[in-house]
């Protein structure tokens, strides 16, 4: 068998200009979990605001959440931005988050469930605590949030949209990521099943599966060698900007995808 020579490094293709808002979500209310900081959640909250929505941002990190709320409220107006701390492993806090959104704005329209937890450990050495912690935040946390949203939509007979955050690792094997991959594959399956049930009351449920979106927290928890390897897999020769993933979340939340439900959309330039 002839061995394959790895392809030479690609010259990175620069990201496109930032896309301005077009009012796709004007007048709607959105909730975004894990929205503090410079990652996908924070970028999504900003994009939703740029598209005209009112946004309730949430995170388990109260200091970063307050900073995010202040910055967004200064830019977009305090009447359109609110914050509620929430640890998605705590059912009481999850329910309080959705109750707050309804109290503030009278309705829910868009729910973006972004909270997740990663880590690296070979399966043979992985502890039960490592496994359970990643699954509890990433999969069970998404379940708790999706359940709370669906109960609201069912009981109020008000249509809406749920977008969950999965990962291409839910499809593709990566050493040291058994717990995270299992959790994200579970998010995909949860999304499909929830979509079938929610269709009866006019609710769409989809997910995004990013490959590599760079942000400061990822740099802290991932080695430079692994980041270089993952970046080399991308056809564009670069990682995604968090706002590029947020753009797809906004598309799924908008009326442009009114006949799309139960799907996981890959936000990736990796080759199959």
């Amino acid at each position: 068998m002839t061995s394959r020579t790895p392809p030479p490094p690609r010259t990175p293709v620069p990201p496109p200009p930032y896309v301005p808002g077009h009012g796709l979500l004007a007048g709607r209310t959105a909730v975004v979990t894990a929205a503090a900081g410079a990652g996908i959640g924070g970028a999504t909250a900003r994009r939703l605001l740029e598209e005209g929505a009112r946004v309730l941002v949430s995170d388990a990190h109260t200091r970063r959440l307050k900073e995010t709320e202040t910055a967004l409220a200064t830019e977009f107006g305090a009447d359109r931005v609110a914050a509620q701390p929430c640890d998605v492993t705590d059912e009481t806090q999850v329910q309080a988050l959705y109750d707050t959104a309804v109290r503030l704005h009278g309705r829910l329209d868009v729910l973006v469930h972004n909270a997740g937890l990663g880590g690296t450990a070979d399966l043979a050495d992985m502890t039960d605590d490592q496994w359970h912690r990643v699954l509890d935040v990433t999969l069970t946390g998404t379940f708790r949030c999706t359940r709370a949203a669906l109960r609201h939509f069912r009981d109020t007979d008000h249509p809406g949209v749920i977008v969950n955050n999965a990962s291409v690792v839910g499809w593709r094997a990566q050493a040291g990521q058994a717990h995270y991959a299992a959790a994200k594959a579970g998010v995909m399956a949860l999304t499909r099943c929830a979509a079938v049930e929610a269709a009866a009351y006019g609710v769409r449920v989809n997910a995004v599966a990013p490959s590599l979106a760079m942000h400061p927290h990822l740099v802290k928890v991932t080695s430079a060698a692994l980041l270089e390897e993952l970046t080399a897999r991308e056809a564009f020769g670069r990682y995604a900007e968090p706002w590029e993933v947020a753009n797809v979340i906004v598309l799924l939340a908008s009326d442009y995808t009114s006949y799309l439900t139960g799907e996981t959309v890959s936000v990736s330039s990796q080759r199959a």
Side-chain angles (χ1 to χ4, degrees), residues 78-272:
D79 59 326
R80 294 181 56 205
V81 180
Q84 171 88 10
C86 179
D87 179 347
V88 298
T89 67
D90 185 326
E91 171 61 20
T92 300
Q93 293 186 43
V94 170
Q95 190 56 57
L97 173 64
Y98 290 92
D99 289 345
T100 296
V102 174
R103 176 177 56 79
L104 290 175
H105 302 297
R107 57 188 285 169
L108 295 176
D109 299 289
V110 177
L111 295 312
V112 180
H113 301 144
N114 175 65
L117 178 68
T120 301
D122 288 343
L123 188 58
D125 300 318
M126 189 178 295
T127 67
D128 282 11
D129 285 344
Q130 287 174 305
W131 174 271
H132 288 306
R133 178 62 177 161
V134 169
L135 268 288
D136 195 19
V137 174
T138 308
L139 177 56
T140 310
T142 302
F143 153 71
R144 292 186 186 100
C145 291
T146 302
R147 177 176 61 185
L150 290 181
R151 285 173 173 172
H152 169 79
F153 290 134
R154 178 196 62 190
D155 296 344
T156 59
D157 195 28
H158 176 69
V161 182
I162 296 170
V163 184
N164 295 324
N165 195 355
S167 168
V168 296
V169 179
W171 289 314
R172 301 168 187 171
Q174 185 174 317
Q177 295 295 306
H179 46 1
Y180 186 70
K184 290 301 191 180
V187 169
M188 295 176 184
L190 171 69
T191 297
R192 292 192 296 271
C193 293
V196 171
E197 297 180 15
Y201 31 98
V203 174
R204 296 187 291 110
V205 188
N206 291 295
V208 294
S211 53
L212 183 64
M214 190 61 67
H215 53 86
H217 179 68
L218 182 62
V219 174
K220 292 179 182 178
V221 300
T222 310
S223 70
L226 179 56
L227 287 176
E228 183 178 355
E229 176 189 341
L230 294 174
T231 301
R233 296 180 187 178
E234 299 290 333
F236 289 135
R238 66 171 177 87
Y239 48 78
E241 299 294 337
W243 61 263
E244 293 181 288
V245 180
N247 284 348
V248 180
I249 292 173
V250 165
L251 177 67
L252 292 174
S254 76
D255 292 339
Y256 280 108
T257 52
S258 60
Y259 199 70
L260 186 69
T261 196
E263 298 292 342
T264 298
V265 178
S266 175
V267 189
S268 166
S269 74
Q270 288 184 11
R271 283 83 66 204

Side-chain angles (χ1 to χ4, degrees), residues 6-74:
R10 287 173 163 79
T11 301
V13 177
Y18 193 83
V19 182
H22 291 79
L24 297 180
L25 301 170
R28 300 185 191 182
T29 296
V31 174
V32 186
T33 64
I40 293 172
T44 299
R46 172 174 292 277
R47 292 267 46 182
L48 292 167
L49 286 161
E50 290 168 344
E51 294 294 346
R54 299 178 297 267
V55 177
L56 175 62
V57 291
S58 173
D59 204 287
H61 301 277
T62 54
R63 178 186 58 81
R64 294 208 313 254
L65 179 62
K66 184 62 179 176
E67 292 171 352
T68 298
E69 178 190 18
T70 300
L72 292 176
T74 299

